[in-house]
Amino acid sequence: MKLKTFSPSDVSGKKVLMRVDFNVPFKNGKVTDNARILAHTSTLKKLLDAGAKVALVSHFGRPKGKVDPAFSLSQIVPDIEKAYGLKVVFVDDCVGDKVADAVNNLKAGEIVVLENSRFHPEEQKNDPEFAKKMAAPFDVFVMDAFSACHRADVSTCGVIDYVAKAFAGDLLQREAEMLGAVSETPAKPYVLILGGAKVSDKIAIVGNLLNKATTILIGGGMAYTFLKAQGKEIGKSLCDSERLDFARDTLKQAAEMGVKILLPVDSVIASGLDANDVSVTSVDNIPADKMGLDIGPETIKLFTKALEGAKSILWNGPMGVFEDEKFAKGTSDLAQAVAAMTAKGAVTVIGGGDTASAVRQFKAADKVSHVSTGGGASLEYCEGKKLPGMYPFKID
């Protein structure tokens, strides 16, 4: 998908409100992963190089429409300054005269960071009057927060109606380009890798991409619902009982369409996440008191072989409980296999959320074509939905 982006002349000398995603992991008073901050570097640099005065707006956590110091963006100002090499002028609100004054008084090498937009209940209601207030000090709006663009909030799309010009940023354009390449017009052979815990989370993506895929690899917790649908005993493994009919129908429909669906043939099992009785078994023989927590070595071989020759790969959902070393090998090995296919010319895209965390953990993030910054947003994009924070910029 091609989006409307800005040129230097569009923003030169203008006051620009830029929607970013600073909803970063934060623990014990520190940002534990600044990837989302760094993701906006290109767009911000272009704006500043063009002579724009820039204010950044974002949400942070879930303060539920109330001022809560635990969710103040002031806490991550040092991380923002370090990431961008710029001085931050922090404003303890995202609307009002204080915002206008801060933007008007900006000096070279400075940016404004506004307080958490979700301190106002109107934000997530996409309230028009609040949108007018947020837009008032600005000439231009730039949307660069892909990971929030599936939300119809004031700061993601509401302000568009109240500024003179609005554009997509570099990050938003990159996401549209790469996700489009593996969900709208994928080169074949096209392999779709699905994992994670819930079948329900992936129903829409299966429905949208089943007729485009060559092969679908299903691992993670959701695989056991499909195995159960085939009549296998899965012990205490995750099972979405309400989706068994969906699993059966998907397997049948795929067979009729000539789409190959591969399920695990073996699993790493244990009696629980904290148990030490870890072993590998065929998926035909999962004991009643055990649960599958990762794909097994034969499944890793099967899935890796299925990737050979692929020209497009989309991966959404880990193969097991990768956060625990005992159940990480399936996700780790598949990450390396996807990286290897990238080196051979395949377009490889990693959905955000846990899958993005996994490829970073296993040092494969810089070895694939693209790691999405949005979990829910990337999922909804690949489901074929019109994202409210992206669709207004679409160029037909």
Side-chain angles (χ1 to χ4, degrees):
M1 182 190 294
K2 181 70 174 174
L3 304 179
K4 180 184 177 183
T5 56
F6 63 87
S7 64
S9 61
D10 291 316
V11 297
S12 179
K14 303 295 185 181
K15 290 174 284 188
V16 177
L17 178 66
M18 177 176 162
R19 184 33 159 116
V20 295
D21 184 4
F22 287 164
N23 188 32
V24 293
F26 190 75
K27 189 175 182 180
N28 298 326
K30 294 182 179 180
V31 172
T32 58
D33 184 350
N34 71 347
R36 283 185 170 176
I37 298 174
L38 291 171
H40 300 294
T41 304
S42 174
T43 304
L44 181 58
K45 184 177 186 303
K46 284 186 177 180
L47 288 170
L48 295 177
D49 285 350
K53 292 185 174 183
V54 183
L56 308 180
V57 63
S58 176
H59 74 281
F60 184 48
R62 297 178 178 177
K64 299 180 180 179
K66 298 178 181 179
V67 175
D68 186 339
F71 298 107
S72 174
L73 281 166
S74 61
Q75 300 170 98
I76 69 167
V77 164
D79 296 274
I80 299 169
E81 291 183 326
K82 183 178 179 181
Y84 299 146
L86 297 166
K87 177 177 173 52
V88 165
V89 177
F90 180 76
V91 180
D92 62 2
D93 205 343
C94 60
V95 295
D97 292 340
K98 286 188 286 188
V99 174
D101 291 343
V103 175
N104 288 332
N105 294 325
L106 270 178
K107 300 173 184 176
E110 294 181 346
I111 56 173
V112 170
V113 170
L114 306 181
E115 183 58 283
N116 193 339
S117 59
R118 289 188 180 175
F119 280 1
H120 294 267
E122 300 93 337
E123 157 74 336
Q124 291 186 277
K125 295 176 183 177
N126 199 10
D127 180 81
E129 290 304 314
F130 186 65
K132 287 180 184 177
K133 292 179 182 178
M134 185 176 287
F138 301 98
D139 308 303
V140 177
F141 173 65
V142 173
M143 176 59 180
D144 205 41
F146 173 74
S147 47
C149 75
H150 59 316
R151 307 297 186 196
D153 296 342
V154 164
S155 68
T156 60
C157 61
V159 294
I160 293 173
D161 293 333
Y162 304 102
V163 291
K165 295 180 180 180
F167 304 95
D170 283 2
L171 175 59
L172 202 66
Q173 174 56 51
R174 173 70 174 170
E175 293 276 9
E177 175 187 342
M178 296 308 300
L179 288 168
V182 292
S183 65
E184 296 168 353
T185 55
K188 296 190 175 183
Y190 172 35
V191 180
L192 175 61
I193 307 170
L194 297 176
K198 298 179 181 179
V199 174
S200 56
D201 290 345
K202 306 298 190 301
I203 286 178
I205 197 171
V206 171
N208 189 46
L209 299 181
L210 185 60
N211 66 338
K212 298 175 182 177
T214 307
T215 303
I216 301 177
L217 312 180
I218 299 179
M222 69 178 291
Y224 298 98
T225 300
F226 281 82
L227 292 168
K228 181 74 171 179
Q230 290 183 326
K232 299 184 186 299
E233 294 300 325
I234 61 171
K236 297 194 301 180
S237 305
L238 284 176
C239 180
D240 190 344
S241 299
E242 295 182 359
R243 309 298 178 185
L244 287 170
D245 286 342
F246 166 79
R248 294 187 191 100
D249 291 344
T250 299
L251 292 169
K252 180 181 178 182
Q253 188 178 1
E256 292 172 349
M257 296 171 65
V259 176
K260 186 182 294 185
I261 292 184
L262 297 180
L263 297 171
V265 294
D266 61 347
S267 287
V268 177
I269 62 171
S271 56
L273 281 170
D274 298 325
N276 294 318
D277 56 346
V278 180
S279 63
V280 177
T281 185
S282 164
V283 294
D284 295 314
N285 299 298
I286 298 178
D289 62 342
K290 300 293 175 67
M291 63 175 64
L293 295 165
D294 192 15
I295 57 174
E298 293 305 315
T299 304
I300 292 172
K301 291 178 185 176
L302 177 69
F303 283 10
T304 299
K305 185 171 178 59
L307 293 175
E308 292 178 1
K311 291 185 178 179
S312 305
I313 299 171
L314 171 62
W315 181 8
N316 197 305
M319 296 293 99
V321 188
F322 71 92
E323 298 90 345
D324 188 323
E325 186 178 0
K326 299 190 298 291
F327 313 116
K329 187 171 175 56
T331 304
S332 175
D333 283 10
L334 201 61
Q336 302 310 318
V338 171
M341 292 311 305
T342 313
K344 292 182 179 180
V347 174
T348 57
V349 175
I350 309 301
D354 287 343
T355 324
S357 298
V359 295
R360 286 195 289 268
Q361 178 176 320
F362 301 124
K363 312 299 183 187
D366 59 348
K367 299 176 183 177
V368 297
S369 303
H370 180 66
V371 179
S372 180
T373 55
S378 63
L379 197 62
E380 290 193 20
Y381 187 107
C382 294
E383 290 170 358
K385 293 181 179 178
K386 295 179 179 179
L387 307 186
M390 176 183 284
Y391 195 76
F393 306 107
K394 184 176 183 288
I395 298 174
D396 295 323

